[in-house]
Amino acid sequence: MNNDTTTPKPAAEWQLRSVYSTRLFALLAVGAVLLAISAHRSEVDKGLADSGRAIVAVVRGKPESSRVARGWLRFLSQAFPLVIASYEPIENPEEFNPDTLPAFAYRDTKYPIKDTMGDVVRYVDAVVKPIGYLTYVGGLLVQTIEIAIWGTILSVLISIPLAYFGAAGYTPNKFSYNVARAICNMNRAIPELIAALVFAVAYGQGAWAGILALGVHTSGFLGKFFADDIENAAKGPQEALASTGANKLKVLRYAVLPQVMPQFLAYGQYILERNVRSATVLGIVGAGGIGVELNERWKQFDYGHVSTILLAIFITVFILEQIAQRVRARLIGE
Amino acid sequence: MNNDTTTPKPAAEWQLRSVYSTRLFALLAVGAVLLAISAHRSEVDKGLADSGRAIVAVVRGKPESSRVARGWLRFLSQAFPLVIASYEPIENPEEFNPDTLPAFAYRDTKYPIKDTMGDVVRYVDAVVKPIGYLTYVGGLLVQTIEIAIWGTILSVLISIPLAYFGAAGYTPNKFSYNVARAICNMNRAIPELIAALVFAVAYGQGAWAGILALGVHTSGFLGKFFADDIENAAKGPQEALASTGANKLKVLRYAVLPQVMPQFLAYGQYILERNVRSATVLGIVGAGGIGVELNERWKQFDYGHVSTILLAIFITVFILEQIAQRVRARLIGE
Amino acid sequence: SDTESLPDGSAELPLRVMLVPADGGTEDGTRADFEPIFNGITQVYDLHFDIRVGSSYNAVVEAMANDQVDIAFFGAVSYQIAKQRANVELLAVEERDGKSEYFSGIYARADSGIDSLEDFAGKTVAFGDVSSTSSFSYPAAMLLEAGVNPAQDLKAVVLAGNHANALRALVSGNVDGACASLDSFKKAVDDGKLSEQELKLVQKSQPIPSPPLAMNGNLADKTKTQLKTAFREIHEHPDVELRSLKGYAGKNIDRYNPDFSEERFDLAMAPLDAVTKELKDAMIRRAAEGN
Amino acid sequence: MIRFKAARKRFADGTVAVDDLTLEIPAGQFCVFLGASGAGKSSVLKLVNGMVQPTSGRVEFDGIEVVPRTYREIRPRIAMVHQQFNLVLRSTILRNVLAGALPGTSTTAAMLSLFPAELQQKACRLLERVGLSEKHLYRRAAHLSGGQQQRVAIARAFILDPTLVLADEPVASLDPEISRGILQLLRDASRESGTTVMCSLHQPDLAREFADRIVGLARGKVIFDGLPDQLDEEMIGRIYAGARAARETAEDDGPVALGALTASEAV
Amino acid sequence: MIRFKAARKRFADGTVAVDDLTLEIPAGQFCVFLGASGAGKSSVLKLVNGMVQPTSGRVEFDGIEVVPRTYREIRPRIAMVHQQFNLVLRSTILRNVLAGALPGTSTTAAMLSLFPAELQQKACRLLERVGLSEKHLYRRAAHLSGGQQQRVAIARAFILDPTLVLADEPVASLDPEISRGILQLLRDASRESGTTVMCSLHQPDLAREFADRIVGLARGKVIFDGLPDQLDEEMIGRIYAGARAARETAEDDGPVALGALTASEAV
Ligand SMILES: Nc1ncnc2c1ncn2[C@@H]1O[C@H](COP(=O)(O)OP(=O)(O)OP(=O)(O)O)[C@@H](O)[C@H]1O
Ligand SMILES: Nc1ncnc2c1ncn2[C@@H]1O[C@H](COP(=O)(O)OP(=O)(O)OP(=O)(O)O)[C@@H](O)[C@H]1O
Ligand SMILES: [Mg+2]
Ligand SMILES: [Mg+2]
């Protein structure tokens, strides 16, 4: 075999390979050219130049001189203050009964309606609930989270067999491997929006159509990532258990799961959180949730409301992340 | 320290812990009750019942008797045939010059124009390109992929520092850790749609706004997952290199990267593929791409076109997956 | 039989109402607008409803075709499409001051120097949603009539998604023209989202029939009659306190008219004959190409 | 009984780890394999449970050929102590030992980690026998010293009363006294329960002390096969230097550079 | 010079691995640590480069206290051969060895894997010295035998000419002949380049043969400290049995159940 000599070669004569092959260089060169062409087609060059100008403008203390910086400032100035209160105009003041007001609510006869620039457009007579909008958003968010949880549960249930059959070393044969991987790809490729609409036609509008859409679409993600991680797990412990004659399921449970559990948890958390963000989809099929509110507020230029909703989503994401981090820390247990 | 006796305890007296604590049981019970309540609120019970009925109907060979099964059949029957060809009506037949026809195109004097129900409305004189629609979709897809690639590049660039500062063991201190993680959460929490529109305000409509939106949003994903994987990597090799005095960057490069590269690759591939799917966002800010076409075709009930587009996306996802699997196989090198 | 039966409005089988918020409507706002009238009908006529708010007309049409939705609002154009694809019947049309109509318009910036539709040639115009009557079909027809082919003669076509987005694109200077209904424009001005001086109405459309409330034609005849009666009478029923009757997009109306003739919709569609599917396709292509 | 018939293992890169091995090991025998680092000891052991598949030739266990089809049948009767221990570092010691009993546990029980109390007690007894104590039971394997990990791996191997134990350098990380204890354990198993033991060792002294039979390997070939007292110093020298001599005609490595090692080149 | 001053390491779960250790090891000395499995050998070595941080007391290297702040200064001069090798299994042998030279390589060069040719040649020479050959250079570490992996770890430790080598059972997986070669290498380094060597071993014979000084540990405490020829059989017995005796008054483990091990309980 190869050119091993019979007497050992002294170290000084050992053949060292260069790290970068000429093939790699050629590939890199071609890639660079293609990227350069594409950069122009995709306006990356222009975008970078604009950003550069904006940064220069800001650094020089003249943000107004850059269109980009101006746009940012304009948006940020409109995003605050957050909208916390809600109001309901009183249409028949003579019928108004102050005793039926909910807790903390009060009547404001000169409640100002402001435009996006913060200027008062007109005044109305309204019942004001000081944290009315916040509680409303909270309620929507709870609805959304519930549905997101069901979507995630469904997704996990679908993805477990996909992962098993999609993991080399566990799948029974090449065929089942390819089928599982193809289903994962397919589920990922179909936009959940379209899936939601199709399910709405089949099942009627409502939460279930949204749950199915979220579950099916994201099972493509979970299936692939679970499978990849299983394939990628350290082989030693797996071999050790497999060599005792334990079946594949048991090897997975005892040699792979302890290794990959932290990642699996992260994937699950991501899907849950992503399903919360995909709430728009739920709105489209009439399942309620935060999505429609966000969408419509945005379309109405109600940036104050939008900020409130985004902040609420951020807090949800943050809490999910905190919970997951704790469980992870336990699992990793360093 | 604890209740160790001075003479070693014989094995028969060793205290065995039960696998499931009562606390766990209590938690599970509470969880089950909450889920049961939520199942009703979220119509999961109804959805499952409907699905059950549909399955029974199909199994009994009477799919028409289930609304769910009927809805599915209706869709599938409309999703085919795929639309492959395109046509352009010839408005001035006298000026028509057959020599200027592109390859494979031909003139059809009785090309049928169908309405959304598939009924022929009228016939026109048109130039038919047998794979015209396919090439059109292909062109849009290339555009989309280019933008998706730029979005992914941007995302990776942003996520590298986020991952470094968000990985316990590498981040300089608790503060930088929290900041990096919070930025990741924030980037993930802001829907890319909203990010796209905000960027469009700052940079004007176009590809760059879309690229920025994709890049910023997905950097939250990459940052988090890169960081989690770094934290999760086997400690032995890292300790070995750290104990030589190599700085953190070098330890990352030589002890962590070889372990996590396959996963990082999978994340990158996912983001690329996800950005292709998020092309709708690009359409919204006027960057073009497959998203607008898909959306509008859907709204127009052109299910044949929709199937063609979805298939094109599936093939893209499939190719990306194939490429990634090859590179992965090399990296894992079993 | 095996076949699942259609709702009859009983408490066990409520009629499924699917509402899509009009431009400028939020989910709870839409619900709040229509719940009083449906509740009133339940109270008086013992017809029960399951009201949902979604946001895709497309899904509503398909769901009606699959007997998953019984009552829904449509735009004038989407009503035609719905009739093509599903068994849909007119339930009622809102009426105010004896009229059931509204208007669409094409706007430009006040300082743009655009004074007539011809001036839009070579300019960028934002439309709403392709399935929208007043932010797409009518304006497209108006441009065509003025000799500006929206698929060929414009610099770029932007599909903004809805009226408000189209107007916003115009205000921010990204486009030169925007198509929207006059009601949407007025609502944006009222809410302080636009200043009336910034924009001008270049051309107002002819009257468009108000968005109809439609029902699934497969419902039992008895149910259909009950529904029509209810909508005809509810506004003057002594037992119901309907402080204000709301119509599409939440505006105040006088009554619902279940006897509006279908022919008037067909008539109103006549000017849209020029807006063929091919034209729509071509405009979508222009929009997909970006600018 | 284990039978190798002209078994040969050639790895993908051309390394021949086991070369034309023909050998029979009767049931109940305590057979020790000696050989230089890289001689092929681990590969020979792994051929028996199929963790290494022969490129040619044949390996039989109790008359059954070791091929993927028969793994289910034979593996539950074969236990292995891996050279690198191969513990699940994030699991507790107890769970690591119990994991050795998976083939004898129903899949449902295994998925729910419900191991019968007797099995758990047996795990405790085994841990006690390898010198670990109650306080280690619920500690993660990662938090043990090297030798403690190796002992957990030994306990795991014995949990299912195997008929054959493949012990790959089971005492490499252990001190002389515990080493003797472990080898004693292996010999007891062989003497009292008729367990066959195939054990690779680096210490010829220990081999001579405990083995029923010693097989010397060099570059994948058997160069000695006999009783412990037949293994003289000269033969030991040949086993560990054998590779050097054999190298003259071969392409494989082995402890080549022992000469160089003693050279005083400053490093 | 290394100095331990009343150093104590107590792990989170209460195990005291190193107990009130006071010790000085002069530069250039080849000091071997003996002790039963779990006696604290690895912990003592890891205290020196900060991989284990003392719960109380103090450790100094060349007069600098070993604390996180000083790691950057001292670690590049200390090399360690880890008991579990800790190779990057997916990287090649050459890269594993070169990774030992990272502190001496500029960050940019390191990121691009550009190692100077001399360094690569030195890596080859070291690999040759530990008995590996050209054909292993670009093989993944995962595809080596146990002993070969251990030798790569040794080569990695020497690539930067350390002034102190912490060798944690560097010959556990090696055959007697290569073991001698490796210990010779360590002794040469100590004699010829003045490298200090702290080495844990399981083989008292090898310790006596190569060490300048032997420290016997039991349950984290020094119970012997002297010249190789002062280590008699009785003392060896005490080192490995010491834990048993000490157990009477303590809460820690150690090779407890040696008695049980020789008991003939059927497993
Ligand atoms: N992370 C940890 N957590 C708790 N206890 C630990 C941890 N690491 C080691 N120990 C305990 O500390 C004691 C000393 O461990 P150490 O690794 O120093 O022993 P050693 O002398 O190297 O043993 P061996 O010869 O088996 O390698 C042991 O009892 C061990 O169980
Ligand atoms: N996966 C592999 N690919 C290529 N060669 C391999 C592989 N595994 C082992 N080898 C080679 O096969 C030969 C025998 O390896 P084996 O592990 O059987 O040796 P060993 O006798 O157990 O050595 P040690 O005492 O060092 O553990 C060695 O030269 C080794 O490099
Ligand atoms: Mg071996
Ligand atoms: Mg140790």
Side-chain angles (χ1 to χ4, degrees):
Chain A
M1 268 137 290
N2 55 51
N3 57 353
D4 267 9
T5 48
T6 46
T7 49
K9 230 194 220 175
E13 289 169 25
W14 290 4
Q15 204 73 46
L16 292 167
R17 298 186 199 156
S18 77
V19 193
Y20 303 104
S21 65
T22 38
R23 187 154 150 265
L24 186 70
F25 273 119
L27 277 176
L28 283 179
V30 171
V33 170
L34 286 180
L35 271 186
I37 295 172
S38 170
H40 186 68
R41 277 170 53 110
S42 310
E43 304 179 11
V44 171
D45 44 1
K46 187 171 147 292
L48 287 176
D50 280 355
S51 306
R53 264 196 298 278
I55 292 171
V56 169
V58 171
V59 167
R60 288 168 64 200
K62 298 187 198 165
E64 326 75 41
S65 69
S66 149
R67 203 166 89 89
V68 173
R70 223 160 50 218
W72 271 109
L73 287 180
R74 198 179 123 88
F75 180 77
L76 287 178
S77 72
Q78 294 179 7
F80 297 94
L82 301 179
V83 175
I84 308 290
S86 71
Y87 69 93
E88 282 162 25
I90 300 172
E91 298 191 355
N92 301 317
E94 57 279 4
E95 287 177 20
F96 179 74
N97 178 0
D99 301 334
T100 60
L101 276 181
F104 303 114
Y106 59 88
R107 177 176 181 175
D108 185 342
T109 49
K110 276 186 87 115
Y111 186 83
I113 305 289
K114 294 180 185 163
D115 68 11
T116 44
M117 302 305 289
D119 301 328
V120 175
V121 190
R122 62 196 156 99
Y123 294 93
V124 294
D125 181 7
V127 172
V128 180
K129 296 181 188 160
I131 55 159
Y133 191 64
L134 212 59
T135 52
Y136 176 63
V137 166
L140 289 181
L141 206 54
V142 169
Q143 243 179 55
T144 307
I145 292 173
E146 275 182 69
I147 296 184
I149 289 178
W150 284 108
T152 309
I153 291 176
L154 188 68
S155 175
V156 170
L157 291 180
I158 302 177
S159 65
I160 287 174
L162 288 179
Y164 182 85
F165 289 104
Y170 292 90
T171 193
N173 52 52
K174 197 73 199 154
F175 177 75
S176 57
Y177 179 86
N178 286 331
V179 168
R181 290 283 179 164
I183 294 178
C184 287
N185 288 349
M186 206 176 62
N187 288 357
R188 290 205 311 281
I190 295 181
E192 53 200 337
L193 209 116
I194 288 193
L197 293 171
V198 174
F199 285 123
V201 172
Y203 285 90
Q205 316 250 342
W208 180 246
I211 292 173
L212 273 182
L214 296 178
V216 168
H217 177 75
T218 57
S219 69
F221 171 90
L222 284 185
K224 174 193 158 60
F225 277 87
F226 285 170
D228 277 1
D229 271 14
I230 293 173
E231 288 181 1
N232 205 32
K235 288 282 174 292
Q238 296 181 60
E239 285 179 354
L241 294 198
S243 77
T244 66
N247 66 26
K248 288 173 175 178
L249 224 54
K250 293 173 185 169
V251 174
L252 266 181
R253 169 80 178 72
Y254 285 85
V256 180
L257 210 62
Q259 289 187 57
V260 296
M261 205 53 209
Q263 277 112 312
F264 280 19
L265 182 77
Y267 299 146
Q269 178 220 334
Y270 169 69
I271 290 302
L272 186 59
E273 161 200 319
R274 178 187 177 296
N275 284 348
V276 171
R277 272 185 282 112
S278 298
T280 341
V281 166
L282 309 173
I284 283 175
V285 296
I290 197 89
V292 182
E293 176 74 12
L294 175 58
N295 245 355
E296 302 298 332
R297 287 297 177 181
W298 175 266
K299 285 185 201 158
Q300 294 187 60
F301 313 87
D302 290 336
Y303 296 133
H305 294 76
V306 169
S307 314
T308 307
I309 298 171
L310 288 184
L311 199 72
I313 295 181
F314 171 75
I315 291 173
T316 310
V317 170
F318 179 78
I319 293 174
L320 288 179
E321 170 94 7
Q322 288 306 307
I323 297 175
Q325 286 293 335
R326 282 192 182 204
V327 183
R328 256 189 91 237
R330 265 212 190 176
L331 290 173
I332 301 189
E334 304 298 334
Chain B
M1 266 138 291
N2 55 51
N3 56 353
D4 268 9
T5 48
T6 46
T7 49
K9 233 195 220 172
E13 290 170 26
W14 289 5
Q15 203 73 48
L16 291 167
R17 296 184 200 159
S18 76
V19 193
Y20 303 104
S21 65
T22 38
R23 187 154 151 266
L24 187 68
F25 273 118
L27 277 176
L28 283 179
V30 171
V33 170
L34 286 180
L35 271 185
I37 295 172
S38 170
H40 185 70
R41 277 170 54 109
S42 311
E43 303 179 9
V44 171
D45 44 2
K46 187 171 150 292
L48 287 176
D50 280 354
S51 306
R53 263 197 297 280
I55 291 171
V56 169
V58 171
V59 167
R60 289 168 65 199
K62 299 187 197 163
E64 329 74 41
S65 69
S66 151
R67 226 170 267 156
V68 173
R70 223 160 53 215
W72 274 108
L73 289 179
R74 199 180 130 82
F75 253 105
L76 289 178
S77 69
Q78 294 180 8
F80 298 95
L82 301 178
V83 175
I84 308 290
S86 71
Y87 68 92
E88 280 163 24
I90 301 173
E91 299 191 357
N92 301 317
E94 55 279 5
E95 285 178 20
F96 180 74
N97 178 359
D99 301 336
T100 60
L101 276 182
F104 303 115
Y106 59 89
R107 178 177 181 172
D108 184 343
T109 49
K110 275 186 90 111
Y111 187 84
I113 301 288
K114 293 178 187 166
D115 68 11
T116 44
M117 300 304 289
D119 303 325
V120 174
V121 189
R122 63 198 155 97
Y123 294 91
V124 294
D125 181 7
V127 172
V128 179
K129 296 182 188 160
I131 55 159
Y133 189 64
L134 211 59
T135 50
Y136 176 64
V137 166
L140 290 181
L141 206 52
V142 169
Q143 241 180 57
T144 308
I145 293 173
E146 275 180 70
I147 295 183
I149 290 177
W150 284 107
T152 309
I153 292 176
L154 189 67
S155 175
V156 170
L157 291 180
I158 302 176
S159 65
I160 288 174
L162 288 179
Y164 182 85
F165 289 104
Y170 291 90
T171 191
N173 52 51
K174 197 74 199 153
F175 176 74
S176 58
Y177 180 86
N178 287 331
V179 168
R181 290 284 179 162
I183 294 178
C184 288
N185 288 348
M186 206 176 63
N187 288 357
R188 290 205 311 281
I190 295 180
E192 53 202 337
L193 207 120
I194 289 195
L197 292 169
V198 174
F199 285 123
V201 172
Y203 286 90
Q205 310 247 341
W208 181 246
I211 292 174
L212 272 183
L214 296 177
V216 168
H217 176 74
T218 57
S219 69
F221 170 90
L222 285 184
K224 174 193 158 60
F225 277 87
F226 285 171
D228 277 1
D229 273 12
I230 293 173
E231 288 182 359
N232 206 32
K235 289 282 174 292
Q238 296 180 60
E239 284 179 355
L241 294 199
S243 77
T244 66
N247 65 26
K248 288 174 176 177
L249 224 53
K250 292 173 184 168
V251 175
L252 266 181
R253 169 78 178 74
Y254 284 85
V256 180
L257 211 62
Q259 291 186 56
V260 296
M261 206 54 207
Q263 276 112 312
F264 280 20
L265 183 76
Y267 300 145
Q269 179 220 334
Y270 169 69
I271 289 303
L272 185 58
E273 163 200 316
R274 179 188 177 295
N275 284 348
V276 171
R277 273 185 282 113
S278 298
T280 340
V281 167
L282 309 173
I284 284 173
V285 297
I290 197 88
V292 187
E293 176 75 12
L294 174 59
N295 245 355
E296 302 300 334
R297 285 299 175 182
W298 175 266
K299 283 188 199 153
Q300 294 253 70
F301 303 90
D302 291 337
Y303 297 134
H305 294 76
V306 169
S307 314
T308 306
I309 297 171
L310 288 185
L311 199 72
I313 295 181
F314 172 75
I315 292 173
T316 309
V317 169
F318 179 79
I319 293 175
L320 288 179
E321 170 93 8
Q322 289 306 308
I323 297 175
Q325 285 294 335
R326 283 190 180 206
V327 182
R328 256 189 91 236
R330 265 211 189 177
L331 290 174
I332 302 188
E334 303 300 333
Chain C
S1 88
D2 290 341
T3 314
E4 297 143 81
S5 44
L6 272 178
D8 54 11
S10 63
E12 301 76 46
L13 284 174
L15 291 159
R16 295 156 301 178
V17 182
M18 192 69 202
L19 302 171
V20 175
D23 256 359
T26 57
E27 188 184 350
D28 65 322
T30 308
R31 199 179 269 281
D33 285 347
F34 291 102
E35 256 167 5
I37 177 171
F38 283 108
N39 286 344
I41 293 177
T42 307
Q43 195 184 321
V44 179
Y45 302 94
D46 198 31
L47 280 173
H48 295 261
F49 301 94
D50 171 13
I51 305 175
R52 310 215 166 196
V53 183
S55 61
S56 166
Y57 275 114
N58 204 262
V60 175
V61 171
E62 290 290 358
M64 235 187 217
N66 197 37
D67 290 341
Q68 294 279 22
V69 166
D70 305 311
I71 296 173
F73 264 116
F74 289 109
V77 171
S78 50
Y79 178 58
Q80 297 296 320
I81 295 175
K83 276 205 295 188
Q84 263 183 352
R85 301 185 66 86
N87 184 6
V88 175
E89 287 176 19
L90 189 73
L91 174 54
V93 176
E94 64 198 43
E95 194 178 286
R96 183 178 188 170
D97 303 331
K99 287 200 195 109
S100 298
E101 58 187 32
Y102 74 114
F103 298 90
S104 155
I106 306 184
Y107 294 85
R109 272 185 305 281
D111 55 4
S112 63
I114 294 174
D115 295 311
S116 67
L117 292 179
E118 290 80 24
D119 295 342
F120 282 116
K123 296 285 198 307
T124 302
V125 176
F127 295 84
D129 187 295
V130 274
S131 44
S132 160
T133 310
S134 52
S135 70
F136 188 92
S137 299
Y138 264 85
M142 283 152 69
L143 283 171
L144 271 179
E145 207 175 81
V148 180
N149 184 327
Q152 290 163 12
D153 304 334
L154 297 178
K155 176 160 166 262
V157 172
V158 171
L159 291 175
N162 57 49
H163 305 241
N165 267 352
L167 289 173
R168 178 162 43 174
L170 182 58
V171 173
S172 69
N174 285 324
V175 297
D176 305 305
C179 310
S181 77
L182 268 52
D183 290 332
S184 315
F185 178 78
K186 187 167 168 295
K187 189 169 189 329
V189 171
D190 279 353
D191 291 350
K193 307 287 159 61
L194 295 176
S195 103
E196 197 148 15
Q197 290 81 46
E198 261 180 290
L199 302 184
K200 66 178 171 194
L201 177 60
V202 178
Q203 176 81 55
K204 179 177 166 181
S205 74
Q206 66 174 88
I208 309 171
S210 291
L213 198 51
M215 61 185 169
N216 188 347
N218 295 339
L219 291 175
D221 287 339
K222 177 165 159 277
T223 318
K224 287 196 255 186
T225 318
Q226 277 179 317
L227 273 171
K228 284 216 168 197
T229 312
F231 272 93
R232 188 179 294 118
E233 298 169 354
I234 187 73
H235 65 286
E236 41 197 25
H237 199 283
D239 295 352
V240 200
E241 266 188 67
L242 279 179
R243 251 182 243 102
S244 54
L245 203 53
K246 295 279 170 122
Y248 187 73
K251 63 178 181 243
N252 292 322
I253 59 166
D254 301 333
R255 62 177 289 238
Y256 274 96
N257 176 9
D259 307 310
F260 195 86
S261 80
E262 297 254 5
E263 289 73 54
R264 284 176 64 187
F265 279 105
D266 298 340
L267 260 175
M269 289 304 111
L272 302 187
D273 280 352
V275 187
T276 57
K277 184 138 173 53
E278 293 82 71
L279 182 79
K280 279 191 183 179
D281 285 358
M283 287 175 69
I284 292 169
R285 276 197 184 212
R286 288 298 305 278
E289 278 156 16
N291 38 7
Chain D
M1 179 164 81
I2 296 96
R3 185 180 286 133
F4 294 87
K5 285 187 191 160
R8 185 182 156 90
K9 175 65 192 179
R10 186 170 173 277
F11 283 103
D13 68 342
T15 310
V16 179
V18 180
D19 203 358
D20 203 19
L21 183 74
T22 301
L23 204 67
E24 271 189 28
I25 298 161
Q29 193 173 61
F30 188 156
C31 177
V32 167
F33 289 79
L34 293 180
S37 170
K41 302 179 294 298
S42 300
S43 303
V44 167
L45 297 188
K46 288 180 182 170
L47 277 171
V48 180
N49 64 6
M51 279 176 65
V52 160
Q53 295 180 14
T55 10
S56 66
R58 181 181 165 99
V59 183
E60 278 172 22
F61 169 71
D62 276 358
I64 308 163
E65 185 175 1
V66 181
V67 280
R69 187 172 35 79
T70 57
Y71 290 169
R72 293 192 64 142
E73 192 178 341
I74 57 171
R75 283 186 170 175
R77 290 146 67 196
I78 307 178
M80 181 156 192
V81 180
H82 300 261
Q83 188 171 11
Q84 317 268 34
F85 322 154
N86 285 350
L87 299 184
V88 183
L89 291 177
R90 276 198 195 128
S91 296
T92 61
I93 307 313
L94 179 61
R95 174 153 298 198
N96 265 290
V97 176
L98 290 174
L102 284 174
T105 314
S106 85
T107 303
T108 326
M111 290 302 117
L112 296 169
S113 326
L114 297 172
F115 293 97
E118 310 87 74
L119 199 68
Q120 301 203 30
Q121 276 149 17
K122 186 168 177 190
C124 292
R125 281 202 307 277
L126 282 166
L127 285 170
E128 186 184 41
R129 278 200 74 169
V130 296
L132 294 171
S133 69
E134 183 181 14
K135 61 177 295 196
H136 296 117
L137 265 188
Y138 294 99
R139 202 192 275 178
R140 282 167 191 246
H143 294 173
L144 288 185
S145 81
Q148 289 167 339
Q149 288 189 20
Q150 186 154 36
R151 287 181 274 162
V152 173
I154 293 162
R156 175 171 70 182
F158 275 97
I159 186 101
L160 269 198
D161 301 322
T163 59
L164 167 64
V165 176
L166 306 169
D168 198 358
E169 290 172 29
V171 299
S173 301
L174 297 175
D175 59 75
E177 196 156 340
I178 301 193
S179 295
R180 288 212 157 68
I182 296 290
L183 290 171
Q184 185 69 46
L185 172 70
L186 289 172
R187 191 166 64 183
D188 288 350
S190 138
R191 293 279 150 83
E192 291 162 23
S193 327
T195 309
T196 316
V197 178
M198 288 172 71
C199 175
S200 70
L201 281 181
H202 275 319
Q203 302 91 328
D205 300 345
L206 290 176
R208 275 193 290 219
E209 188 176 338
F210 289 94
D212 293 330
R213 169 188 183 184
I214 292 177
V215 175
L217 290 175
R219 302 196 48 267
K221 284 187 155 58
V222 176
I223 61 164
F224 172 84
D225 185 354
L227 295 177
D229 30 294
Q230 293 173 329
L231 184 75
D232 53 22
E233 288 307 316
E234 192 221 314
M235 182 44 80
I236 294 179
R238 275 187 51 207
I239 288 175
Y240 293 117
R244 218 182 323 174
R247 169 155 296 271
E248 307 299 306
T249 52
E251 76 289 337
D252 191 29
D253 60 315
V256 199
L258 280 176
L261 259 173
T262 41
S264 62
E265 186 198 354
V267 187
Chain E
M1 178 165 82
I2 297 97
R3 183 180 290 133
F4 294 86
K5 284 189 193 159
R8 185 181 156 92
K9 175 64 190 180
R10 187 170 173 276
F11 283 103
D13 69 342
T15 311
V16 179
V18 180
D19 202 358
D20 203 21
L21 182 75
T22 302
L23 202 67
E24 272 189 28
I25 299 161
Q29 194 173 61
F30 188 155
C31 177
V32 167
F33 290 80
L34 294 181
S37 170
K41 303 179 293 300
S42 300
S43 302
V44 167
L45 297 189
K46 288 178 181 170
L47 278 171
V48 180
N49 64 6
M51 279 175 66
V52 160
Q53 295 181 14
T55 10
S56 65
R58 181 182 165 98
V59 184
E60 278 173 21
F61 169 74
D62 276 358
I64 307 164
E65 184 175 2
V66 181
V67 280
R69 187 173 35 80
T70 58
Y71 290 170
R72 295 192 63 141
E73 193 180 338
I74 58 170
R75 283 186 168 175
R77 289 146 68 196
I78 306 177
M80 180 156 191
V81 179
H82 299 261
Q83 189 171 9
Q84 317 268 34
F85 321 155
N86 285 350
L87 299 185
V88 183
L89 291 178
R90 277 198 193 128
S91 295
T92 61
I93 307 312
L94 179 61
R95 175 154 299 198
N96 265 291
V97 176
L98 290 173
L102 284 173
T105 315
S106 85
T107 303
T108 325
M111 292 302 118
L112 297 170
S113 328
L114 297 171
F115 293 96
E118 311 88 73
L119 199 68
Q120 301 203 30
Q121 276 148 18
K122 185 169 177 190
C124 293
R125 281 202 307 277
L126 281 166
L127 285 169
E128 185 185 41
R129 278 199 73 170
V130 295
L132 295 171
S133 69
E134 182 181 14
K135 62 177 296 198
H136 296 117
L137 265 188
Y138 293 100
R139 203 190 276 178
R140 280 167 194 248
H143 294 175
L144 288 185
S145 80
Q148 288 166 339
Q149 287 189 21
Q150 185 154 39
R151 288 181 273 162
V152 174
I154 293 162
R156 175 171 71 181
F158 275 97
I159 187 107
L160 269 198
D161 302 321
T163 59
L164 166 65
V165 176
L166 306 169
D168 198 357
E169 290 172 29
V171 298
S173 300
L174 296 174
D175 59 76
E177 197 155 342
I178 302 192
S179 295
R180 287 211 160 67
I182 296 291
L183 290 171
Q184 185 71 46
L185 171 70
L186 290 171
R187 191 168 62 184
D188 287 351
S190 137
R191 296 278 152 82
E192 291 162 24
S193 328
T195 309
T196 316
V197 178
M198 288 172 70
C199 176
S200 70
L201 280 182
H202 275 318
Q203 301 93 328
D205 300 346
L206 290 177
R208 273 193 290 218
E209 189 175 339
F210 289 94
D212 293 331
R213 170 187 181 183
I214 292 177
V215 176
L217 290 175
R219 303 196 49 269
K221 284 188 158 52
V222 176
I223 61 164
F224 172 84
D225 185 353
L227 294 178
D229 30 292
Q230 292 173 331
L231 183 76
D232 52 24
E233 287 307 316
E234 193 220 314
M235 183 43 82
I236 293 179
R238 276 186 51 204
I239 287 175
Y240 292 117
R244 219 182 321 171
R247 170 155 294 271
E248 307 301 304
T249 51
E251 75 291 336
D252 191 29
D253 61 315
V256 198
L258 279 176
L261 260 173
T262 42
S264 63
E265 186 198 353
V267 188

